[in-house]
Amino acid sequence: MKRLFTNATFVTMRDAQERAEALLVDDDGTIAYVGDLGEARSLAQGAPETDLHGACVLPGFIDPHSHFTGALQYLLYADLSQCTSFAQIEAVLKEFAASRPVGEDGVIMAIGYDQNNLEEGQHPTRELLDSVSTEVPILITHVSNHMGVANSRLLELAGLDAQTPDPEGGRYGRDDNGELTGYAEEPAAMNGLYAVTTPRMNFDFFSMADDMQDVYLEHGVTTCQDGATGPDMANVLCALAERGLLKMDIVGYPMAGSDPLATLEAHPDYDGSNYQGHFRLGGLKMFLDGSPQGLTAWMSEPYVEGPEGEHDWCAYGTMSDEDALAFAKAAVDTNHQLLCHTNGDAAADQLLRVYAQAQAQSANPDAKALRPVMIHCQTVRKDQLETMAELSMVPSIFASHVWYWGDAHVKNFGPVRGGRVSPCGDAVDCGLPFTLHTDTPVLRPNLLEGVWCAVRRVTKGGRQLDAEQAVSVFDALRAITYNGAYQYGEESSKGTLEAGKLADLAVLDANPLDVDPDEIRSIKVLATVKEGENVWERKAC
């Protein structure tokens, strides 16, 4: 149905100055016209008119990396993100357990603790969790999702004890006697815990689908990602699409370690550039290291101090060159985009090395047109960004790190390397179409806050990080609109407000290009529109 939007500032995002007075949606959910109000009304021919009461309208925001299925954590897990001590963690867990009694066949899950914000300055242990329950398994995961802590019951059910060796690409915490502390680092070590906890959660995705999508829609996001789609989750997402339960576009990426090519083969109708019921499978995902705030990002030069006080700690990679090359080449050979998690510059070196080899060795004539993506890019160097340009690789930068963990990065890497994290400025200098993400559920998908972080580069402690890595408001907004569409190969249908593109809109209470940059993170999303239809609206106070 045609629909005319009026009384708003329409920021087309084609350039920093272009504005329009009205936007007309065609019957098929695409933009029929954007521009002069009189012309729009003439073309509308009496179509229903929506007065936006002076709002600002941008293209719907495009999340270039997150974990959509992880949004269920906001609905079913205890939230430890505000805890500043072990005592507070214990109190939150006990209150959570009391509010929803769990039997011995259940599980207590929590997310969001950060040892950088705890008085103790270290990860909790199983003894702390045992004070909550020794009968029900408990798993709390770090804010990065790269590490977690299990209680004694969960370790027992997972078959883990002092004799269990550390897996390749992961590590278990041990006390002075060699006993497990409950700490597990990186997926290689955590997967055994998830094998116990996941079946006990009894997820009902069909009843939670609306709430999970609202996590994104309330932030103006109209396209998001499931950035590590296992076979079971691929089945769930396809089922949600088939039942017509998706209101926004979701792109899934099967991950290394789960036979991703088999997942693609199992869902051929969803494998490719066309959405079916708002879902598609966009390519393959691998990860090469861990988390900088967790001291597991793989660095070429040592941290200031390692997790055990080491002064030569560079952390470690999670895949050998041989395995990483084989995976990258499988993506290129099958004409799929590759996404790769790399936080440390040593991991970035590995990705650039193996992807260049994969391109060179592949017989795919389109090998250089697949737009591979380096995810996170926290400590990527300028010479590496220059190489990325040669490979047509897109840097997706987790700029929100500046505010949330910038102080920790300065502590861990020193003022120069730490001050340079999330180097959006260098990405612009290298001509790269960088994108901004929040890695939900690590953080809520507040991409406007990511814009603010990329522009201001101020930490929670009030420290100004390297100002040379700051970018303009327009460049940061392009990162969550047009550049996001480019990363997905969808720039012909999304990312700007112009005729022929989808009428995906973020309706805001202020124009980010006009306000003081410090006010950008306070801008509210009033409504989110997908293909001309309101899919989320802010409730009146």
Side-chain angles (χ1 to χ4, degrees), residues 234-247:
N235 293 338
V236 167
L237 290 166
C238 289
L240 290 171
E242 289 164 5
R243 295 190 188 189
L245 296 177
L246 298 181
K247 300 180 287 187

Side-chain angles (χ1 to χ4, degrees), residues 73-74 76-83 88-89 92-93 96 109-113 444:
Q73 296 177 6
Y74 294 125
L76 300 175
Y77 291 22
D79 181 5
L80 305 179
S81 62
Q82 302 304 310
C83 293
Q88 287 187 6
I89 290 176
V92 169
L93 290 174
F96 181 83
M109 302 288 288
I111 187 172
Y113 86 86
R444 296 268 179 172

Side-chain angles (χ1 to χ4, degrees), residues 482-516:
Y482 181 82
N483 292 0
Y486 176 87
Q487 177 183 304
Y488 285 121
E490 299 179 28
E491 69 271 23
S492 65
S493 61
K494 298 176 182 175
T496 57
L497 301 181
E498 53 187 313
K501 292 194 174 184
L502 294 177
D504 293 355
L505 314 174
V507 183
L508 312 178
D509 70 350
N511 184 349
L513 291 166
D514 289 346
V515 301
D516 185 296

Side-chain angles (χ1 to χ4, degrees), residues 267-335:
H267 303 285
D269 292 343
Y270 294 89
D271 179 13
S273 59
N274 297 319
Y275 290 92
Q276 304 289 334
H278 292 297
F279 178 65
R280 70 181 180 91
L281 293 164
L284 304 182
K285 165 78 181 295
M286 69 178 181
F287 73 97
L288 297 179
D289 71 341
S291 153
Q293 68 271 35
L295 303 178
T296 58
W298 184 22
M299 302 299 298
S300 64
E301 298 179 21
Y303 290 76
V304 172
E305 186 175 297
E308 304 297 332
E310 306 97 327
H311 292 288
D312 58 353
W313 177 256
C314 292
Y316 51 86
T318 57
M319 295 179 73
S320 67
D321 266 24
E322 181 181 12
D323 289 344
L325 173 58
F327 192 84
K329 191 167 184 298
V332 176
D333 287 347
T334 59
N335 208 43

Side-chain angles (χ1 to χ4, degrees), residues 395-512:
S396 187
I397 300 175
F398 196 170
S400 299
H401 261 255
V402 170
W403 170 255
Y404 286 94
W405 298 286
D407 296 305
H409 295 332
V410 170
K411 175 185 174 183
N412 293 335
F413 298 124
V416 176
R417 282 191 300 167
R420 202 186 152 275
V421 295
S422 302
C424 298
D426 280 350
V428 170
D429 288 346
C430 293
L432 289 164
F434 76 96
T435 61
L436 296 174
H437 66 266
T438 60
D439 203 15
T440 301
V442 173
L443 296 175
R444 296 268 179 172
N446 187 349
L447 293 179
L448 281 175
E449 182 176 64
V451 166
W452 174 80
C453 289
V455 171
R456 287 290 289 112
R457 293 187 60 81
V458 175
T459 72
K460 276 188 177 182
R463 187 183 191 113
Q464 176 66 61
L465 298 190
D466 188 347
E468 290 187 359
Q469 300 307 325
V471 295
S472 71
V473 176
F474 181 74
D475 281 340
L477 288 172
R478 284 276 286 189
I480 64 171
T481 53
Y482 181 82
N483 292 0
Y486 176 87
Q487 177 183 304
Y488 285 121
E490 299 179 28
E491 69 271 23
S492 65
S493 61
K494 298 176 182 175
T496 57
L497 301 181
E498 53 187 313
K501 292 194 174 184
L502 294 177
D504 293 355
L505 314 174
V507 183
L508 312 178
D509 70 350
N511 184 349

Side-chain angles (χ1 to χ4, degrees), residues 336-356:
H336 286 100
Q337 183 183 48
L338 177 70
L339 268 60
C340 185
H341 168 117
T342 58
N343 266 312
D345 67 328
D349 277 334
Q350 184 182 35
L351 173 60
L352 296 173
R353 183 168 61 245
V354 301
Y355 198 83

